[in-house]
């Protein structure tokens, strides 16, 4: 009887095993996030020593106090590629470091997260925006990558009156952001550039450089409050605040006036991330870099960036 029962058990096991297709294991289900909108605010070119490197936060009182409590600060965040404006922004949106013309005469070599997002989601181009005080950053809306050139381009508003020429004031840029967020259909993906800190540093105006950092701090605070007061955006929006590059440290070359090499002042920047899926009032010293931003955004909004490198910044998430 025992032998008969054992034979039956073995036979049933063989049948079950032979009928199971091990090549058709259940697919891992994507994580469902609360975040539906992602905005990246790039404060152009302040040194870490004037931002989160100064623990008194005298020039960034909102970022260092109220906003830091709302999210995760990555204090060991870096630009590990060319430390120039175009290359820094391009690294953020493509997930690849590229040495590009800093005059805005060369398109990124790889497709951008905006293009991948628009193609995969099948939404109008108005659902993704590049809004910049620097006209030359209009190149961020396109790529020269084969089969991606001139397709799935986001909307852009860059430079003087948004025509891709020269510079405009950060106030005009912020007015455009306000207009977009106040509309019936705010974009789900947007990059914002504020130029003043970088521009005044290059013009050797130390006091105005510091005042511009303070003004950008105020813009960041206004933007977060605008999000919280908008029923469409509140509790559905991630705001990532970072930089494209830093500046030379005092005693290195011409100090704060310039940037562009691999010195610590140029490479060490910061990232502060706030949103419904992120931790609050946390500082992470884990090393992270610009290539990780587009990978993290693609994870949150569920689209792919196959040409991008980097990693998902898991230390941000609850």
């Amino acid at each position: 009887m025992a032998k008969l029962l054992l034979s039956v058990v073995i036979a049933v096991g063989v049948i079950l095993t032979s009928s199971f297709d091990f090549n058709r294991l259940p697919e891992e289900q994507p994580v469902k996030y609360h975040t539906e909108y992602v905005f990246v605010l790039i404060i152009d070119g302040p040194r870490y020593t004037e931002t989160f490197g100064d623990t008194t936060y005298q020039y960034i009182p909102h970022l260092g106090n109220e906003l830091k409590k709302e999210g995760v600060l990555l204090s060991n965040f870096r630009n590990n590629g060319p430390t120039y404006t175009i290359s820094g922004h391009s690294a953020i949106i493509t997930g690849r470091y590229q040495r590009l013309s800093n005059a805005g005469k060369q398109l990124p070599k790889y497709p951008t997260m905006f293009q991948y997002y628009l193609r995969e989601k099948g939404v109008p181009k108005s659902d993704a925006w590049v809004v910049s005080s620097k006209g030359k950053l209009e190149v961020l809306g396109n790529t020269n990558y084969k089969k991606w050139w001139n397709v799935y381009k986001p909307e852009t508003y860059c430079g003087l009156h948004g025509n891709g020429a020269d510079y405009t004031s950060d106030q005009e840029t912020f007015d455009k952001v306000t207009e977009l967020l106040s509309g019936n259909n705010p974009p789900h993906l947007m990059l914002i550039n504020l130029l003043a800190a970088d521009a005044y540093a290059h013009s050797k105006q130390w006091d105005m450089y510091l005042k511009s950092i303070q003004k950008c701090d105020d813009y960041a605070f206004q933007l977060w409050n605008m999000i919280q007061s908008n029923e469409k955006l509140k509790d559905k929006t991630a705001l990532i605040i970072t930089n494209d590059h830093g500046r030379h440290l005092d005693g290195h070359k011409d100090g704060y006036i310039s940037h562009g090499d691999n010195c610590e002042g140029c490479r060490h920047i910061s990232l502060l991330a706030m949103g419904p899926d992120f931790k609050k009032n946390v500082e992470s010293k884990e090393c992270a870099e610009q290539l990780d931003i587009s990978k993290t955004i693609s994870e949150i909004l569920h689209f792919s960036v196959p040409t991008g490198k980097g990693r998902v910044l898991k230390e941000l998430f609850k």
Side-chain angles (χ1 to χ4, degrees), residues 39-43 63 67 220 239-243 270-274:
F39 305 146
V40 181
L41 173 62
I42 300 178
I43 300 174
L63 286 164
L67 297 185
L239 176 60
I240 298 172
I241 303 171
T242 187
N243 318 113
S270 63
L271 183 144
L272 177 63
M274 301 170 288

Side-chain angles (χ1 to χ4, degrees), residues 55-159:
T55 55
T56 68
Y57 307 133
Q58 59 179 317
Y59 306 119
I60 55 163
H62 296 305
L63 286 164
N65 292 290
E66 299 102 321
L67 297 185
K68 183 182 174 185
K69 292 177 183 177
E70 292 293 327
V72 182
L73 171 66
L74 301 187
S75 56
N76 190 15
F77 193 72
R78 306 184 72 80
N79 174 341
N80 287 328
T83 53
Y84 293 98
T85 297
I86 300 288
S87 293
H89 282 78
S90 178
I92 289 170
I93 65 169
T94 67
R96 301 289 288 259
Y97 290 123
Q98 307 159 63
R99 187 168 293 279
L100 302 172
S101 164
N102 203 44
K105 304 298 183 182
Q106 185 181 3
L107 296 175
K109 300 173 183 178
Y110 296 92
T112 71
M113 64 179 181
F114 303 109
Q115 293 175 292
Y116 284 126
Y117 169 79
L118 290 171
R119 186 187 72 164
E120 196 162 325
K121 297 297 184 181
V123 292
K125 64 184 297 187
S126 58
D127 204 36
W129 275 83
V130 176
V131 183
S132 168
S133 297
K134 289 184 174 179
K136 65 183 182 180
L137 288 178
E138 190 158 346
V139 298
L140 301 181
N142 204 353
T143 179
N144 62 13
Y145 196 86
K146 187 178 180 180
K147 295 183 179 180
W148 282 90
W149 176 68
N150 272 353
V151 296
Y152 304 109
K153 295 166 58 180
E155 294 281 8
T156 60
Y157 182 93
C158 302

Side-chain angles (χ1 to χ4, degrees), residues 223-292:
L223 178 57
W224 182 245
N225 287 335
M226 193 186 311
I227 291 168
Q228 300 315 304
S229 63
N230 186 317
E231 290 303 316
K232 290 185 178 181
L233 303 175
K234 183 181 180 181
D235 300 325
K236 299 178 183 178
T237 302
L239 176 60
I240 298 172
I241 303 171
T242 187
N243 318 113
D244 51 346
H245 55 75
R247 317 196 76 77
H248 299 321
L249 297 176
D250 293 342
H252 179 67
K253 296 186 177 180
D254 57 357
Y256 83 99
I257 296 169
S258 301
H259 57 87
D261 64 11
N262 62 357
C263 75
E264 182 65 10
C266 289
R267 294 218 179 279
H268 190 182
I269 52 179
S270 63
L271 183 144
L272 177 63
M274 301 170 288
D277 296 295
F278 298 153
K279 300 171 186 174
K280 286 191 175 186
N281 200 22
V282 170
E283 178 177 348
S284 171
K285 296 184 179 180
E286 186 172 348
C287 188
E289 59 182 313
Q290 289 176 324
L291 304 187
D292 303 330

Side-chain angles (χ1 to χ4, degrees), residues 179-193:
E179 174 192 322
L180 291 172
L181 299 192
S182 302
N184 293 326
N185 297 295
H188 284 78
L189 182 59
M190 179 167 57
L191 179 142
I192 306 159
N193 162 273

